[in-house]
PDB file of all heavy atoms in Angstrom:
ATOM      1  N   PRO A1072      53.504   8.253  52.049  1.00 90.00           N
ATOM      2  CA  PRO A1072      52.934   9.102  53.112  1.00 90.00           C
ATOM      3  C   PRO A1072      51.854  10.041  52.577  1.00 90.00           C
ATOM      4  O   PRO A1072      50.838  10.279  53.244  1.00 90.00           O
ATOM      5  CB  PRO A1072      54.135   9.876  53.630  1.00 90.00           C
ATOM      6  CG  PRO A1072      55.321   9.098  53.227  1.00 90.00           C
ATOM      7  CD  PRO A1072      54.960   8.407  51.954  1.00 90.00           C
ATOM      8  N   PHE A1073      52.078  10.542  51.392  1.00 90.00           N
ATOM      9  CA  PHE A1073      51.086  11.464  50.819  1.00 90.00           C
ATOM     10  C   PHE A1073      49.785  10.732  50.503  1.00 90.00           C
ATOM     11  O   PHE A1073      48.690  11.286  50.650  1.00 90.00           O
ATOM     12  CB  PHE A1073      51.655  12.117  49.557  1.00 90.00           C
ATOM     13  CG  PHE A1073      52.861  12.939  49.831  1.00 90.00           C
ATOM     14  CD1 PHE A1073      54.133  12.453  49.582  1.00 90.00           C
ATOM     15  CD2 PHE A1073      52.740  14.209  50.377  1.00 90.00           C
ATOM     16  CE1 PHE A1073      55.244  13.203  49.845  1.00 90.00           C
ATOM     17  CE2 PHE A1073      53.861  14.967  50.648  1.00 90.00           C
ATOM     18  CZ  PHE A1073      55.127  14.475  50.387  1.00 90.00           C
ATOM     19  N   HIS A1074      49.918   9.478  50.021  1.00 88.00           N
ATOM     20  CA  HIS A1074      48.715   8.686  49.787  1.00 88.00           C
ATOM     21  C   HIS A1074      47.938   8.493  51.068  1.00 88.00           C
ATOM     22  O   HIS A1074      46.701   8.644  51.107  1.00 88.00           O
ATOM     23  CB  HIS A1074      49.095   7.304  49.218  1.00 88.00           C
ATOM     24  CG  HIS A1074      49.360   7.312  47.738  1.00 88.00           C
ATOM     25  ND1 HIS A1074      48.408   7.648  46.802  1.00 88.00           N
ATOM     26  CD2 HIS A1074      50.479   7.022  47.028  1.00 88.00           C
ATOM     27  CE1 HIS A1074      48.926   7.568  45.593  1.00 88.00           C
ATOM     28  NE2 HIS A1074      50.206   7.190  45.701  1.00 88.00           N
ATOM     29  N   ILE A1075      48.684   8.162  52.163  1.00 91.00           N
ATOM     30  CA  ILE A1075      48.014   7.915  53.450  1.00 91.00           C
ATOM     31  C   ILE A1075      47.349   9.194  53.950  1.00 91.00           C
ATOM     32  O   ILE A1075      46.197   9.197  54.404  1.00 91.00           O
ATOM     33  CB  ILE A1075      49.038   7.370  54.475  1.00 91.00           C
ATOM     34  CG1 ILE A1075      49.518   5.988  54.005  1.00 91.00           C
ATOM     35  CG2 ILE A1075      48.405   7.260  55.849  1.00 91.00           C
ATOM     36  CD1 ILE A1075      50.677   5.443  54.814  1.00 91.00           C
ATOM     37  N   ILE A1076      48.094  10.296  53.875  1.00 93.00           N
ATOM     38  CA  ILE A1076      47.534  11.582  54.319  1.00 93.00           C
ATOM     39  C   ILE A1076      46.296  11.924  53.489  1.00 93.00           C
ATOM     40  O   ILE A1076      45.272  12.390  54.010  1.00 93.00           O
ATOM     41  CB  ILE A1076      48.606  12.688  54.202  1.00 93.00           C
ATOM     42  CG1 ILE A1076      49.707  12.421  55.197  1.00 93.00           C
ATOM     43  CG2 ILE A1076      47.989  14.064  54.401  1.00 93.00           C
ATOM     44  CD1 ILE A1076      50.919  13.320  55.022  1.00 93.00           C
ATOM     45  N   SER A1077      46.382  11.628  52.175  1.00 91.00           N
ATOM     46  CA  SER A1077      45.247  11.929  51.309  1.00 91.00           C
ATOM     47  C   SER A1077      44.019  11.122  51.711  1.00 91.00           C
ATOM     48  O   SER A1077      42.895  11.660  51.753  1.00 91.00           O
ATOM     49  CB  SER A1077      45.620  11.616  49.855  1.00 91.00           C
ATOM     50  OG  SER A1077      44.483  11.687  49.027  1.00 91.00           O
ATOM     51  N   GLU A1078      44.245   9.845  52.028  1.00 89.00           N
ATOM     52  CA  GLU A1078      43.115   9.012  52.423  1.00 89.00           C
ATOM     53  C   GLU A1078      42.458   9.560  53.695  1.00 89.00           C
ATOM     54  O   GLU A1078      41.223   9.624  53.805  1.00 89.00           O
ATOM     55  CB  GLU A1078      43.581   7.572  52.670  1.00 89.00           C
ATOM     56  CG  GLU A1078      44.117   6.843  51.442  1.00 89.00           C
ATOM     57  CD  GLU A1078      43.023   6.368  50.528  1.00 89.00           C
ATOM     58  OE1 GLU A1078      41.855   6.400  50.952  1.00 89.00           O
ATOM     59  OE2 GLU A1078      43.316   6.004  49.374  1.00 89.00           O
ATOM     60  N   ILE A1079      43.296   9.929  54.656  1.00 92.00           N
ATOM     61  CA  ILE A1079      42.747  10.394  55.930  1.00 92.00           C
ATOM     62  C   ILE A1079      42.067  11.742  55.779  1.00 92.00           C
ATOM     63  O   ILE A1079      40.934  11.951  56.248  1.00 92.00           O
ATOM     64  CB  ILE A1079      43.882  10.467  56.982  1.00 92.00           C
ATOM     65  CG1 ILE A1079      44.406   9.050  57.251  1.00 92.00           C
ATOM     66  CG2 ILE A1079      43.381  11.108  58.279  1.00 92.00           C
ATOM     67  CD1 ILE A1079      45.679   9.029  58.082  1.00 92.00           C
ATOM     68  N   THR A1080      42.725  12.646  55.104  1.00 94.00           N
ATOM     69  CA  THR A1080      42.175  14.008  55.025  1.00 94.00           C
ATOM     70  C   THR A1080      40.890  14.049  54.217  1.00 94.00           C
ATOM     71  O   THR A1080      39.963  14.786  54.553  1.00 94.00           O
ATOM     72  CB  THR A1080      43.198  14.964  54.394  1.00 94.00           C
ATOM     73  OG1 THR A1080      43.618  14.404  53.142  1.00 94.00           O
ATOM     74  CG2 THR A1080      44.384  15.130  55.310  1.00 94.00           C
ATOM     75  N   ARG A1081      40.821  13.282  53.160  1.00 92.00           N
ATOM     76  CA  ARG A1081      39.588  13.339  52.350  1.00 92.00           C
ATOM     77  C   ARG A1081      38.423  12.712  53.113  1.00 92.00           C
ATOM     78  O   ARG A1081      37.269  13.139  52.948  1.00 92.00           O
ATOM     79  CB  ARG A1081      39.779  12.680  50.998  1.00 92.00           C
ATOM     80  CG  ARG A1081      39.811  11.170  51.007  1.00 92.00           C
ATOM     81  CD  ARG A1081      40.076  10.651  49.602  1.00 92.00           C
ATOM     82  NE  ARG A1081      39.976   9.194  49.559  1.00 92.00           N
ATOM     83  CZ  ARG A1081      40.259   8.475  48.497  1.00 92.00           C
ATOM     84  NH1 ARG A1081      40.695   9.079  47.384  1.00 92.00           N
ATOM     85  NH2 ARG A1081      40.141   7.167  48.521  1.00 92.00           N
ATOM     86  N   THR A1082      38.726  11.744  53.989  1.00 92.00           N
ATOM     87  CA  THR A1082      37.660  11.173  54.815  1.00 92.00           C
ATOM     88  C   THR A1082      37.186  12.196  55.840  1.00 92.00           C
ATOM     89  O   THR A1082      35.975  12.383  56.055  1.00 92.00           O
ATOM     90  CB  THR A1082      38.183   9.917  55.527  1.00 92.00           C
ATOM     91  OG1 THR A1082      38.663   8.994  54.554  1.00 92.00           O
ATOM     92  CG2 THR A1082      37.076   9.264  56.324  1.00 92.00           C
ATOM     93  N   ILE A1083      38.166  12.855  56.465  1.00 93.00           N
ATOM     94  CA  ILE A1083      37.805  13.906  57.420  1.00 93.00           C
ATOM     95  C   ILE A1083      37.040  15.024  56.716  1.00 93.00           C
ATOM     96  O   ILE A1083      36.034  15.547  57.212  1.00 93.00           O
ATOM     97  CB  ILE A1083      39.068  14.452  58.115  1.00 93.00           C
ATOM     98  CG1 ILE A1083      39.686  13.348  58.962  1.00 93.00           C
ATOM     99  CG2 ILE A1083      38.747  15.672  58.960  1.00 93.00           C
ATOM    100  CD1 ILE A1083      41.049  13.702  59.526  1.00 93.00           C
ATOM    101  N   ALA A1084      37.494  15.349  55.492  1.00 94.00           N
ATOM    102  CA  ALA A1084      36.818  16.412  54.750  1.00 94.00           C
ATOM    103  C   ALA A1084      35.382  16.037  54.438  1.00 94.00           C
ATOM    104  O   ALA A1084      34.474  16.887  54.500  1.00 94.00           O
ATOM    105  CB  ALA A1084      37.586  16.698  53.455  1.00 94.00           C
ATOM    106  N   LEU A1085      35.181  14.786  54.096  1.00 92.00           N
ATOM    107  CA  LEU A1085      33.810  14.336  53.833  1.00 92.00           C
ATOM    108  C   LEU A1085      32.923  14.566  55.046  1.00 92.00           C
ATOM    109  O   LEU A1085      31.812  15.113  54.945  1.00 92.00           O
ATOM    110  CB  LEU A1085      33.817  12.832  53.505  1.00 92.00           C
ATOM    111  CG  LEU A1085      33.857  12.394  52.041  1.00 92.00           C
ATOM    112  CD1 LEU A1085      33.812  10.868  51.959  1.00 92.00           C
ATOM    113  CD2 LEU A1085      32.702  12.976  51.266  1.00 92.00           C
ATOM    114  N   ALA A1086      33.440  14.117  56.201  1.00 93.00           N
ATOM    115  CA  ALA A1086      32.644  14.214  57.416  1.00 93.00           C
ATOM    116  C   ALA A1086      32.398  15.667  57.795  1.00 93.00           C
ATOM    117  O   ALA A1086      31.256  16.061  58.088  1.00 93.00           O
ATOM    118  CB  ALA A1086      33.357  13.481  58.555  1.00 93.00           C
ATOM    119  N   VAL A1087      33.432  16.456  57.785  1.00 93.00           N
ATOM    120  CA  VAL A1087      33.314  17.838  58.256  1.00 93.00           C
ATOM    121  C   VAL A1087      32.494  18.673  57.275  1.00 93.00           C
ATOM    122  O   VAL A1087      31.731  19.549  57.680  1.00 93.00           O
ATOM    123  CB  VAL A1087      34.719  18.432  58.492  1.00 93.00           C
ATOM    124  CG1 VAL A1087      34.630  19.913  58.828  1.00 93.00           C
ATOM    125  CG2 VAL A1087      35.421  17.698  59.616  1.00 93.00           C
ATOM    126  N   ARG A1088      32.662  18.428  55.985  1.00 93.00           N
ATOM    127  CA  ARG A1088      31.921  19.220  54.984  1.00 93.00           C
ATOM    128  C   ARG A1088      30.413  19.061  55.192  1.00 93.00           C
ATOM    129  O   ARG A1088      29.677  20.042  55.286  1.00 93.00           O
ATOM    130  CB  ARG A1088      32.292  18.779  53.571  1.00 93.00           C
ATOM    131  CG  ARG A1088      31.581  19.594  52.504  1.00 93.00           C
ATOM    132  CD  ARG A1088      31.796  19.037  51.107  1.00 93.00           C
ATOM    133  NE  ARG A1088      33.186  19.013  50.746  1.00 93.00           N
ATOM    134  CZ  ARG A1088      33.919  17.899  50.609  1.00 93.00           C
ATOM    135  NH1 ARG A1088      33.353  16.715  50.806  1.00 93.00           N
ATOM    136  NH2 ARG A1088      35.188  17.949  50.273  1.00 93.00           N
ATOM    137  N   LEU A1089      29.974  17.823  55.287  1.00 93.00           N
ATOM    138  CA  LEU A1089      28.537  17.591  55.443  1.00 93.00           C
ATOM    139  C   LEU A1089      28.049  18.117  56.790  1.00 93.00           C
ATOM    140  O   LEU A1089      27.021  18.811  56.871  1.00 93.00           O
ATOM    141  CB  LEU A1089      28.251  16.093  55.326  1.00 93.00           C
ATOM    142  CG  LEU A1089      26.794  15.681  55.448  1.00 93.00           C
ATOM    143  CD1 LEU A1089      25.944  16.355  54.372  1.00 93.00           C
ATOM    144  CD2 LEU A1089      26.647  14.168  55.334  1.00 93.00           C
ATOM    145  N   PHE A1090      28.818  17.810  57.838  1.00 92.00           N
ATOM    146  CA  PHE A1090      28.418  18.287  59.160  1.00 92.00           C
ATOM    147  C   PHE A1090      28.363  19.801  59.201  1.00 92.00           C
ATOM    148  O   PHE A1090      27.385  20.392  59.683  1.00 92.00           O
ATOM    149  CB  PHE A1090      29.413  17.735  60.198  1.00 92.00           C
ATOM    150  CG  PHE A1090      29.436  18.514  61.487  1.00 92.00           C
ATOM    151  CD1 PHE A1090      28.373  18.446  62.394  1.00 92.00           C
ATOM    152  CD2 PHE A1090      30.514  19.340  61.806  1.00 92.00           C
ATOM    153  CE1 PHE A1090      28.408  19.162  63.560  1.00 92.00           C
ATOM    154  CE2 PHE A1090      30.532  20.062  62.972  1.00 92.00           C
ATOM    155  CZ  PHE A1090      29.478  19.977  63.868  1.00 92.00           C
ATOM    156  N   GLY A1091      29.411  20.458  58.716  1.00 92.00           N
ATOM    157  CA  GLY A1091      29.476  21.915  58.778  1.00 92.00           C
ATOM    158  C   GLY A1091      28.359  22.573  58.015  1.00 92.00           C
ATOM    159  O   GLY A1091      27.708  23.520  58.491  1.00 92.00           O
ATOM    160  N   ASN A1092      28.080  22.093  56.836  1.00 91.00           N
ATOM    161  CA  ASN A1092      27.020  22.705  56.022  1.00 91.00           C
ATOM    162  C   ASN A1092      25.654  22.544  56.667  1.00 91.00           C
ATOM    163  O   ASN A1092      24.872  23.501  56.742  1.00 91.00           O
ATOM    164  CB  ASN A1092      27.011  22.084  54.626  1.00 91.00           C
ATOM    165  CG  ASN A1092      28.055  22.694  53.708  1.00 91.00           C
ATOM    166  OD1 ASN A1092      27.922  23.803  53.220  1.00 91.00           O
ATOM    167  ND2 ASN A1092      29.136  21.962  53.505  1.00 91.00           N
ATOM    168  N   MET A1093      25.349  21.340  57.129  1.00 90.00           N
ATOM    169  CA  MET A1093      24.034  21.118  57.693  1.00 90.00           C
ATOM    170  C   MET A1093      23.854  21.845  59.017  1.00 90.00           C
ATOM    171  O   MET A1093      22.793  22.423  59.287  1.00 90.00           O
ATOM    172  CB  MET A1093      23.790  19.613  57.877  1.00 90.00           C
ATOM    173  CG  MET A1093      23.806  18.819  56.581  1.00 90.00           C
ATOM    174  SD  MET A1093      22.831  19.546  55.257  1.00 90.00           S
ATOM    175  CE  MET A1093      21.208  19.464  55.984  1.00 90.00           C
ATOM    176  N   MET A1094      24.933  21.835  59.866  1.00 89.00           N
ATOM    177  CA  MET A1094      24.822  22.542  61.131  1.00 89.00           C
ATOM    178  C   MET A1094      24.703  24.048  60.911  1.00 89.00           C
ATOM    179  O   MET A1094      23.906  24.731  61.575  1.00 89.00           O
ATOM    180  CB  MET A1094      26.043  22.236  62.009  1.00 89.00           C
ATOM    181  CG  MET A1094      25.877  22.757  63.424  1.00 89.00           C
ATOM    182  SD  MET A1094      27.410  22.798  64.327  1.00 89.00           S
ATOM    183  CE  MET A1094      28.315  24.048  63.492  1.00 89.00           C
ATOM    184  N   SER A1095      25.462  24.564  59.964  1.00 88.00           N
ATOM    185  CA  SER A1095      25.395  26.008  59.714  1.00 88.00           C
ATOM    186  C   SER A1095      24.026  26.404  59.176  1.00 88.00           C
ATOM    187  O   SER A1095      23.516  27.480  59.483  1.00 88.00           O
ATOM    188  CB  SER A1095      26.489  26.411  58.726  1.00 88.00           C
ATOM    189  OG  SER A1095      26.279  25.744  57.493  1.00 88.00           O
TER     190      SER A1095
END
Side-chain angles (χ1 to χ4, degrees):
Chain A
F1073 298 100
H1074 279 298
I1075 294 171
I1076 293 171
S1077 170
E1078 295 283 348
I1079 295 170
T1080 53
R1081 75 183 186 186
T1082 303
I1083 295 171
L1085 265 182
V1087 174
R1088 182 188 300 110
L1089 181 59
F1090 159 72
N1092 278 285
M1093 298 313 297
M1094 189 195 68
S1095 62

